Structures are given as C-alpha cells and as structure tokens.
Amino acid sequence: MNLNSGLIALISVMLATSAAGGSLEHEFANPPNGSRPGAFWCWLNGSITPEQITRDLEEMKDKGMGGAEIWDVQALRNPDGFVPAGPPFLGDESLDLIAHAIREAGRLDLYLGIIASSGWNAGGSWVPPEHAGKGLFWSETRVTGAGKTELRLPFPECPRAPKGDDGLPLHFREIAVLALPAAKTLKRIDDVIDVTESMDRDGTLRWDAPAGEWTILRVICTNHGQSLIVPSPNSGGPMIDFIDPAATEFHLRHIADRILAKLGKRDFRDTAFQYMEFDSMELAEGVLWSDGFAGDFERLRGYDPISWLPLLAGWKLEDAETDQRFHLDYKLAVSDQLIHSHYVTGSKILADYGLHLVAEAGGPGPPIWDSCPVDAIKALGAVDVPRGEFWMGNPKHIFLIKEIASAAHVYGRPLVDAEAFTTWRRWIDGPVTHKQLADRALCEGLNHFTLHTFASSPPEAGLPGRAYHAGTDINPTATWWPMARPFFDYLARSSHMLRQGLHVADVCYFYGGQAPNFFPAECYVPEKPVLPGLGTGYDFDVIDANALITRLSARDGRLVLPDGKSYALLALPEQKRMPNEVLRKLKQLTGEGATIVGPRPERSFGAKPTIEEEAEFQALVGELWGNNKIRHDVIPRDALTGMGIGPDFHVVDEARRGDFDYIHRSTEDLEIYFVYNKTMEPRTLDAVFRVSGRDARLWDPVSGRIETRGSFRAAEVGTRGTFDLPPAGSMFVVFGKNPATTDAETAKPIEPIAVEGPWTLRFPDGWGVDPAPMAIDTLECWTRSDTIAVKHFSGIAAYETTLKIPQDIAQAGQPLWLDLGDLRETARVTLNGRDLGIVWTPPYRVRIDGALQLGDNSLKVEVANLWANRLIGDLKHPDRGTYTRTNVISVFKPDNPLLPSGLFGPVRITGE
C-alpha cells in the first residue's frame, strides 16, 4: 500500500503541498486519497460478510472516497429482525471480518479506521469493574450528640453498579465519612468533620459526637453502570472510566492487541489501518469520580477536596461565592483529568501501534448533553485529529465546526474533520443540498469530511436496504450513487485546498478559563458563529487558557503561534472571572507589544485562594486595565480599523453581504480564498480581497478547472474582483506570486439554441413502469404523470433525442455548452456515445464542442432522483405491489408530498 496517500502520512507531513512546479494544480484536478472523504461505515448489528466488505470498499474506491471507519452498531429501527444479529464485536468471527477489511483496504489504497467500541463511546464486555466508569454515591444518617456514638452506617445506594453475592458492588472504594451540621446549608467548610478513621471495615461508626444534630455522610466511589450507547445486539458492556488513564490504556491495548494478533503483526505501520475514533462524549447524570481522583483534584487545584464533598451531595455554603468557586474547581479538575486520562493518554497509547486518535472531544455541548464536562478547545487540541459534527435538516441545526477548526489552528493540528451530514431526514436530500452545508462547513474551517453514514447493505436486503436510524444514506443503495463521484471529487478538492498553508484570521478570541466550555455556548447553531463586535469580512479563532498560556507569544506587534500563524488582536470574553495565570500571560503579551481588548474581570478562580493569590489578582488587573494596557472601551472591529487593518473580504454591495461567505489560507507563494453563494439564486460577487499586486485566477472545485474569467483590478486597499456564482455556487480565488494581469478576454457569446425534442424517455424494468421507450414532447416532472408507477418512480431514467446544430456554429471552434436548465437530482450526459460527465449542481451544463459531429448528434441524458417517491408510493398503493425494502420505512407516510423528479429544462446549447 502507498501510505503517502493515506491519512497517517498526511498528518506526519502536516498536509502542506507546495504550489511550485505545478503540483498543487495537479492535486486540485486529482486530489490525493487522504483528502478524499471517509465515512462512518456501519456494520449494522455487527452483521456483514467478507463479500459485502469487499463490495463496499470497491464501491468507495470507484466513486472517489478515500477510506472509511468501521462502526459496529445497533440497527435501532429493526422491524421483524430485518437486520440480523451478527457476532460479538472483537470476538473471533468479528476479528476475521476486521482483518479482511484491513487487507482489502490496503489492496485498494484506502485508509481505514475503527470506532473504539461497539456503538459509542468507549468500552465493551471486556472492561472489568475496576476500569469501568465510576461516580460518587452517598448515604445520610442523622445523629444527635453529645457523647460516644456507635451505629452501622447504611451502604450508599448504587443501583446500576454490578454486584457480588453479598449484594455489594464488585468494585468500590470508601472515599470519606463526614459529619456535618444537619442543616443543608453550611456556614463554612471548617464545620465539616472528617470521621473516616472512626468507621470500621464493616461500616460501623464509633465516634465521640459533639453536642447537636449531625448528618453523617458516608461517601463511596463505585461504578455508575453507564453502558455503551447503541451497541450491536451481542456487544454490550460498560463504558470505561474516562478520568483514569489506566482504563483508557487497558481498553485501547485490548482492541489493538486483538486485531494485531489476528493480522499476525507487531504494529499497524504497514497496513491500511490508521486510526481509532472516540465519538462524542455523552455521560450519564451524576457526580463523576474515580478511585484516585481526590489526589488528582489536589494536584490540579491545589487543595484536598474531601471536606468539600457535601457540596457535591447537595449541601450549600452560606457564602455563595465560595460555593460557586468550589463547583468551578471541581469541573475544571474533571475536565483536565478527563483530557489527560482519555485524550492525551489515548493518543500516546495508539502511537505505540502506529495509529492516531480521532475524537469528537469537544462535545456536543449543552443543551443536548449537559454532562460533556470538558474545556472543548483544550480537549480537541489533545488529539491527533479533532472532529466535530454538523447536521442537515435538524430543527435546531447542530453545527459544530468553528470550535473544532479553532482548536486545530491554535494547537497546530493540520486536519479539521467532521461527522458530516448527520440527519433524521431520510432519502429526501440530494447532493446540491449537501453542498450547501459542506460550503458552510468549509468556510468555518473544515478540511476533511467523514460521512454519517455509509451503512453496509447486502443485495439480498433489497433497496434502499439496511440503514442506520440517523444518517444521510450515501452508499451504493442511494439512487444517485452511480453519479456520486463528482460530489466526492468536490469535497476532496475543497478539503485539499483548505489544508494549504495557514488559516488567516485577524482576531484571536479567548473564551474564558471555565469548564465546561464551548464555542458557541450551545451546540444548536443555525448560522455560522460570529464574534460580537467583529462583524463580517474578518475571521477569528477561539483559544483556550492552556493554548493562550503555553503557545501564544507576541512579535512585531502580532500574536504568534509556534507554526507561524498570527493575529493582529486578542479579544477577551464578557466574563467576570479570570485565572491569575491568564492575567500573567496577558501582562507578558502586552509587554511584548500585543494589542488586547476586553472587559475588566472582577474575580479570580479557586475556592481556596491564598492571600498572595488574591493580592496578585488585584495588582495584575489594576496594572493591565488601570494603565489602559488592555482597552475595555473598544470593540474588536474598531480596534482593527484603528490599527489600519481593513476587512480581509469586503462585499461592495452592502445589501448583498449576507449572501456570501469566505475563508482564507495563506502559503509562501499563494493567497487562497474560498467563497460561496449562500443563496439558491445566481449572484454576481463584487468584493475587495486584502491582497495587492498579484495575479488572480479562479479555481473551480466542481469542475477542477482553473480559469482566468472575471474581472480583477487594483482597489484602494487590495484587489477588487467581480465574477458570477451560480445558485449555491462556490469558487477558490487564488492570488499567485506574479504581478497582476489585465482582465482576460471572453469569447463572443452565441445566441442560445433551444433543444426542443421530441424526446424518448425510458425507465428501467422491474419498477412497475413499462420499460418500452415513451415518446414525449414536453419535459416535465415525473410526479405530474397520470401513470402511478411513473409518478412514484425512484431511480435512474434516460432521456434521448437528436441534436441538430447549424454547421457554422459546430465548426466555429469556440466552446459550446449543453445547458440542461433545471433537473432533480443528478444527470449523466452522453453525446454520440461519448460520456461527457455528470452534473449535480447548478448550472447543470456540460461542454459538448469536442464531441459534436456534422449532421445528427445523438444525445442521452440519464437522470437520477431520490428514494422518497417510491417509498411513499409503496405505502400509498400497496395493492399495486411494493418495490422497496428497508428497516426505516416509518419515516414516511402515504400522504407525504412527492419530491420534484426528472429533467425539466429548458435544454439549450450556449456559447457561454
């Protein structure tokens, strides 16, 4: 296998490709495997065969995917056992299948990963109680003093912990026995008395109690019992202990060693298997704890947490500020320990095997999963490949890319990956809808797509076959799969271009030192996140406290990261708390000439700050804001303009600024902008790019062509470019190292020639439609047909006609295009037996002058629609026969509206 085309090699070389010698132009036309999209490859219920594995991987390769990751997962919707149960994950039969997939991926030069459990997150039947997830549990006993007291303390209830014959958990640790005043509000923590040493091993407390009413809190750590989410039927088991590094090591080594033994290898360095994945962190409710966490807390936060445990069990302090500070300390300790134990440790362990860690380490955050207890940027920066996710068609629109891209940028990670196109919608979205979401994700910084999902479905399952309950169904059972390659080429070209050089942003935004911490604060993001006070035309990254302190410096007035990425400005959050270590860093940066804006904080962190720490906080705040080293009276945009820094991308027509978005990458020789039309209407972009005196060309990611069309001319600041974008259109504007050139000349347009037919329309056999050619004079939607089988047809049908082109035009020697007008969803055009390619996004047109011949020209247009109409037809007209089979049919109802389908036109020949 050629590992240079794989993901692991791309990581090691930082994915940079020089444009020297035309190599970037070549890779734009022919993107390497590592830039091509992967997929969550669902082995539903663990049921798959070697033949199915080979067939899937060969289809991926043929259609332009780069690889996939094995996902053993439950088919949640499975009426009548439509998807049979397969073998236990990582059992002998499962390992045979995994090994076969690795060998076949290697044969096909595809990369392969695996989700590190059945279902998600991390765990399995092999995880013993000492390595399974744990929490704090407690019992309360009322005692009236004074005098010697002897009583048996009840064992805390822990209903989901695995138990032994004695009824006690198989694994538990006594954490503390605490006596505290019976009232649920404590005057001070010093009122808590640690009587742990007074309890015998059998739970009997012998204590000389002071006078008064007391509550005895017996606190243990044991398994909380959270199991894997949606594992295949024979593959359940507990989640691991995420805040114990030994649990992560045990788990990952178990998986890796099992697979290696089956392959007969010492590591994976010469195989297609390149990474494991931890999916989104979604923990059960409760107080997260581990056997050694008290010591971890003291190391991380500087004091012993034992006397403070009542606050985790529902007690409160009269001093609300100190109460809040402890809870923040607890959350910070959990976040830091989880990042170290799960993500840092996981990356190191996998490196021993020649593997990388891909992880949705940053959430999703609230409100979906309130127990994702991490500082997202720091967690994402701790793994080899940070992964986010974005959904399509969700009512609240989960879209988590900006946070992930920021983490990659500030921690020097070259890949920004995402679980892409996740959805509850089924078989109603074509590739142009996917493109609109992909373009938004690209503009937020994404540069690698992992489709959610590619469900493996054997031919005997029928069509559309087996499907995961939430996923976009891009696999060989999709109606438009035979025409999918250009869509994957588009994602690959765009991803590859957005790995070149460094991301350009003017503002670095520190989002605070608290935990949990997310950007934006909630995962429902209907529009691209914006930074308050910055507005359009500028870009920004989000940075966490750790990266701010350890990776950011200032040089020549700019804030600089170790890889050379830089910012003009550091913006601070609208928060009242700020850690002292951050204030020390801000002092250093201002001393080095950095420009910083933001409000003055009022309080430091920590439940037990020393007198010296409090004094330092006040001194630093006074020095930085009192002396105006940090401006609190200016917003980021005004600060930038005051520094003479105008927008990086400025749409001239103010009324059209919301129609476009952009992202900018910079290499040693090139300035690369990606811009896209957010609307479904054609638009002319008239914008100023912050680049001067350099030639500009348009690199079209749909066609792979590099063009000189459009108008580019010097502006007062930068270069003004004007060019057309079709509905949902996108373009790379690439400024080279050569001096600016004059506008390119365009060919004189010809008068469009209508292609009016007559047409013949042919449907495939086996779908209830007469396969004989149908003569039609007018192009119209299939759903308008009086024939029920045509109205509800889903699949690919072929239109044919004869083109007659005037001889003077055919022999004029200028480009000629066949414009199909409108259609749903994709089409393949053949002229005189020559395949001219696939169209899948407006404008639906192909170049035809190279295939024309004198006289009659035979034109064939094959059009694919979506599955929805046939699925609805099977429900509405079961008496006419059912043609589809799937386990998720319940997503449709007989009265659902049908989707537009077919070729609508008008079809024309143009010279533009």
Side-chain angles (χ1 to χ4, degrees):
M1 176 186 176
N2 178 10
L3 284 180
N4 287 330
S5 65
L7 189 64
I8 198 168
L10 285 169
I11 294 171
S12 65
V13 300
M14 301 298 287
L15 304 165
T17 302
S18 171
S23 63
L24 185 56
E25 286 89 338
H26 174 76
E27 291 180 352
F28 183 69
N30 305 281
N33 275 13
S35 296
R36 292 189 171 278
F40 284 73
W41 183 18
C42 297
W43 294 10
L44 292 170
N45 283 354
S47 175
I48 199 167
T49 65
E51 295 77 17
Q52 201 171 325
I53 288 169
T54 296
R55 184 169 50 246
D56 284 351
L57 291 173
E58 288 179 345
E59 286 289 335
M60 292 178 195
K61 182 68 175 181
D62 182 66
K63 299 305 183 291
M65 296 176 63
E69 60 196 56
I70 297 168
W71 189 18
D72 184 281
V73 66
Q74 180 183 355
L76 275 179
R77 294 179 178 176
N78 194 27
D80 302 320
F82 182 81
V83 183
F89 181 59
L90 290 189
D92 288 340
E93 185 179 346
S94 170
L95 288 168
D96 285 336
L97 294 165
I98 293 169
H100 177 71
I102 292 171
R103 295 187 186 102
E104 287 293 86
R107 175 178 67 85
L108 295 165
D109 194 19
L110 297 171
Y111 59 79
L112 204 65
I114 192 168
I115 294 180
S117 66
S118 181
W120 82 92
N121 192 293
S125 60
W126 53 86
V127 177
E130 61 266 29
H131 289 317
K134 305 177 189 71
L136 281 186
F137 299 85
W138 52 86
S139 65
E140 299 177 14
T141 305
R142 295 293 292 267
V143 173
T144 301
K148 294 189 180 297
T149 300
E150 181 175 326
L151 71 159
R152 184 76 173 267
L153 298 180
F155 194 88
E157 292 187 7
C158 40
R160 297 178 63 188
K163 309 290 199 309
D165 294 339
D166 58 0
L168 295 177
L170 292 174
H171 177 87
F172 71 93
R173 293 284 185 274
E174 298 281 356
I175 300 300
V177 181
L178 304 173
L180 50 155
K184 276 286 188 177
T185 300
L186 300 170
K187 291 185 177 180
R188 55 189 182 274
I189 286 296
D190 290 345
D191 291 339
V192 177
I193 303 172
D194 189 341
V195 295
T196 305
E197 297 300 322
S198 300
M199 188 186 74
D200 293 342
R201 297 183 67 174
D202 66 355
T204 300
L205 178 69
R206 295 176 176 85
W207 178 48
D208 192 359
E213 295 288 328
W214 298 89
T215 295
I216 308 299
L217 199 65
R218 181 181 181 182
V219 185
I220 69 165
C221 172
T222 190
N223 300 121
H224 52 55
Q226 184 175 6
S227 298
L228 294 172
I229 302 170
V230 295
S232 61
N234 296 312
S235 305
M239 285 190 183
I240 64 169
D241 187 336
F242 294 114
I243 58 175
D244 180 1
T248 295
E249 179 169 1
F250 169 85
H251 175 65
L252 292 180
R253 290 199 187 280
H254 176 85
I255 298 173
D257 290 344
R258 292 277 291 167
I259 299 173
L260 280 175
K262 181 60 67 173
L263 290 172
K265 292 182 175 292
R266 298 181 61 183
D267 59 44
F268 297 104
R269 287 178 174 84
D270 64 344
T271 76
F273 185 38
Q274 298 183 19
Y275 67 92
M276 290 194 203
E277 195 255 8
F278 288 149
D279 215 70
S280 51
M281 180 67 65
E282 299 168 16
L283 300 180
E285 295 181 358
V287 179
L288 200 64
W289 204 264
S290 191
D291 293 345
F293 184 67
D296 296 326
F297 183 101
E298 187 166 8
R299 171 177 52 82
L300 291 164
R301 306 309 302 163
Y303 61 96
D304 187 340
I306 294 301
S307 295
W308 300 76
L309 292 182
L311 301 188
L312 298 178
W315 270 259
K316 294 186 179 299
L317 279 175
E318 283 187 0
D319 180 359
E321 167 67 13
T322 300
D323 190 302
Q324 291 175 11
R325 283 177 177 246
F326 169 73
H327 281 284
L328 179 54
D329 274 350
Y330 167 73
K331 292 173 183 177
L332 284 166
V334 167
S335 174
D336 284 346
Q337 186 61 18
L338 189 152
I339 291 168
H340 165 72
S341 298
H342 197 45
Y343 298 123
V344 174
T345 299
S347 298
K348 290 179 178 178
I349 297 304
L350 291 180
D352 292 346
Y353 295 90
L355 297 174
H356 284 86
L357 178 60
V358 178
E360 294 184 22
I368 291 185
W369 303 105
D370 289 325
S371 49
C372 177
V374 295
D375 180 330
I377 301 290
K378 183 176 181 180
L380 289 159
V383 302
D384 299 308
V385 180
R387 173 176 286 174
E389 64 178 289
F390 66 92
W391 286 54
M392 58 191 303
N394 187 62
K396 296 184 179 179
H397 213 70
I398 300 170
F399 217 100
L400 302 175
I401 303 299
K402 187 64 177 176
E403 173 184 86
I404 288 79
S406 293
H409 298 158
V410 301
Y411 279 98
R413 300 291 188 258
L415 280 178
V416 183
D417 186 84
E419 169 192 317
F421 312 116
T422 314
T423 184
W424 302 116
R425 298 155 62 99
R426 311 317 292 257
W427 300 298
I428 61 174
D429 295 305
V432 71
T433 304
H434 292 81
K435 181 182 185 298
Q436 292 176 279
L437 294 175
D439 287 346
R440 174 183 164 182
L442 291 165
C443 280
E444 291 191 29
L446 191 69
N447 62 23
H448 191 261
F449 290 81
T450 301
L451 310 179
H452 190 292
T453 57
F454 182 116
S456 185
S457 186
E460 59 269 21
L463 293 171
R466 299 178 185 177
Y468 185 56
H469 73 286
T472 194
D473 306 303
I474 301 179
N475 65 359
T477 71
T479 50
W480 56 279
W481 179 258
M483 303 181 191
R485 174 118 196 172
F487 172 66
F488 291 140
D489 287 346
Y490 174 81
L491 298 181
R493 285 191 192 102
S494 301
S495 296
H496 193 65
M497 290 292 284
L498 294 179
R499 297 177 186 184
Q500 307 308 311
L502 296 171
H503 171 241
V504 176
D506 292 302
V507 177
C508 187
Y509 170 64
F510 171 54
Y511 76 157
Q514 70 277 6
N517 204 5
F518 306 98
F519 184 87
E522 297 191 355
C523 68
Y524 295 137
V525 190
E527 297 290 340
K528 179 180 177 181
V530 297
L531 186 63
L534 185 60
T536 62
Y538 295 97
D539 206 348
F540 67 96
D541 280 324
V542 185
I543 196 168
D544 69 295
N546 180 67
L548 173 68
I549 293 166
T550 64
R551 293 180 55 80
L552 201 62
S553 61
R555 185 169 63 248
D556 299 326
R558 293 187 66 83
L559 296 134
V560 183
L561 290 164
D563 60 4
K565 179 175 170 58
S566 67
Y567 310 90
L569 179 73
L570 177 65
L572 304 179
E574 291 281 347
Q575 294 178 1
K576 294 182 178 180
R577 298 185 191 275
M578 188 167 289
N580 281 16
E581 55 267 32
V582 171
L583 291 171
R584 293 184 211 117
K585 184 67 177 188
L586 298 182
K587 178 181 178 181
Q588 174 195 326
L589 293 173
T590 57
E592 294 170 345
T595 300
I596 305 176
V597 301
R600 177 176 181 144
E602 299 174 4
R603 297 188 289 275
S604 65
F605 280 39
K608 292 190 68 175
T610 65
I611 295 174
E612 292 78 11
E613 288 170 336
E614 281 294 306
E616 181 188 32
F617 174 83
Q618 297 299 334
L620 286 168
V621 169
E623 179 180 355
L624 291 170
W625 278 267
N627 294 326
N628 219 26
K629 291 181 179 180
I630 296 178
R631 295 284 303 274
H632 64 85
D633 57 348
V634 60
I635 61 174
R637 191 179 189 92
D638 290 345
L640 290 170
T641 56
M643 299 164 68
I645 301 172
D648 190 21
F649 173 74
H650 175 69
V651 177
V652 175
D653 184 351
E654 184 175 356
R656 291 294 184 204
R657 287 175 190 164
D659 292 350
F660 304 97
D661 200 1
Y662 88 105
I663 192 170
H664 179 189
R665 304 280 299 191
S666 180
T667 76
E668 184 177 347
D669 298 323
L670 304 174
E671 300 299 324
I672 301 171
Y673 289 80
F674 175 78
V675 297
Y676 87 103
N677 173 10
K678 296 163 63 176
T679 78
M680 282 303 294
E681 300 292 333
R683 291 284 185 261
T684 296
L685 174 64
D686 183 8
V688 177
F689 300 84
R690 198 171 60 199
V691 179
S692 299
R694 305 176 76 170
D695 67 312
R697 291 193 293 171
L698 301 181
W699 295 35
D700 184 349
V702 172
S703 68
R705 290 189 297 269
I706 298 174
E707 306 171 346
T708 56
R709 66 181 174 87
S711 171
F712 289 89
R713 57 209 180 275
E716 183 178 349
V717 179
T719 300
R720 185 168 179 175
T722 306
F723 55 90
D724 294 331
L725 286 171
S730 54
M731 190 68 66
F732 284 94
V733 184
V734 180
F735 293 89
K737 58 184 177 181
N738 298 318
T741 58
T742 58
D743 295 346
E745 294 184 4
T746 58
K748 183 179 179 180
I750 68 167
E751 193 69 27
I753 301 170
V755 179
E756 297 178 344
W759 299 81
T760 60
L761 175 58
R762 188 189 303 270
F763 291 90
D765 196 9
W767 293 93
V769 186
D770 187 343
M774 301 168 52
I776 58 174
D777 294 319
T778 304
L779 297 173
E780 64 179 13
C781 182
W782 298 339
T783 62
R784 298 181 62 183
S785 174
D786 294 331
T787 303
I788 289 177
V790 172
K791 182 189 294 286
H792 288 286
F793 174 77
S794 293
I796 299 175
Y799 296 80
E800 296 181 2
T801 192
T802 299
L803 296 183
K804 295 182 183 293
I805 302 175
Q807 185 173 351
D808 59 330
I809 293 178
Q811 296 179 333
Q814 74 175 82
L816 294 176
W817 299 84
L818 179 71
D819 187 332
L820 297 176
D822 196 11
L823 60 87
R824 296 292 185 281
E825 291 289 327
T826 60
R828 183 189 299 274
V829 179
T830 305
L831 184 62
N832 298 322
R834 180 174 169 182
D835 186 350
L836 299 184
I838 295 162
V839 293
W840 59 280
T841 186
Y844 300 106
R845 67 176 196 166
V846 295
R847 181 124 174 224
I848 62 172
D849 48 284
L852 286 173
Q853 62 188 25
L854 294 177
D856 291 346
N857 290 263
S858 175
L859 174 66
K860 181 179 181 181
V861 181
E862 298 169 279
V863 177
N865 69 337
L866 302 173
W867 274 120
N869 291 355
R870 184 63 267 168
L871 288 161
I872 294 168
D874 283 1
L875 293 171
K876 191 169 186 176
H877 304 286
D879 57 312
R880 295 177 176 270
T882 54
Y883 298 89
T884 57
R885 294 182 68 214
T886 181
N887 54 306
V888 291
I889 186 64
S890 60
V891 297
F892 290 106
K893 292 181 172 58
D895 58 352
N896 283 152
L898 301 181
L899 301 182
S901 301
L903 175 61
F904 316 138
V907 180
R908 305 181 305 161
I909 296 170
T910 72
E912 297 179 339

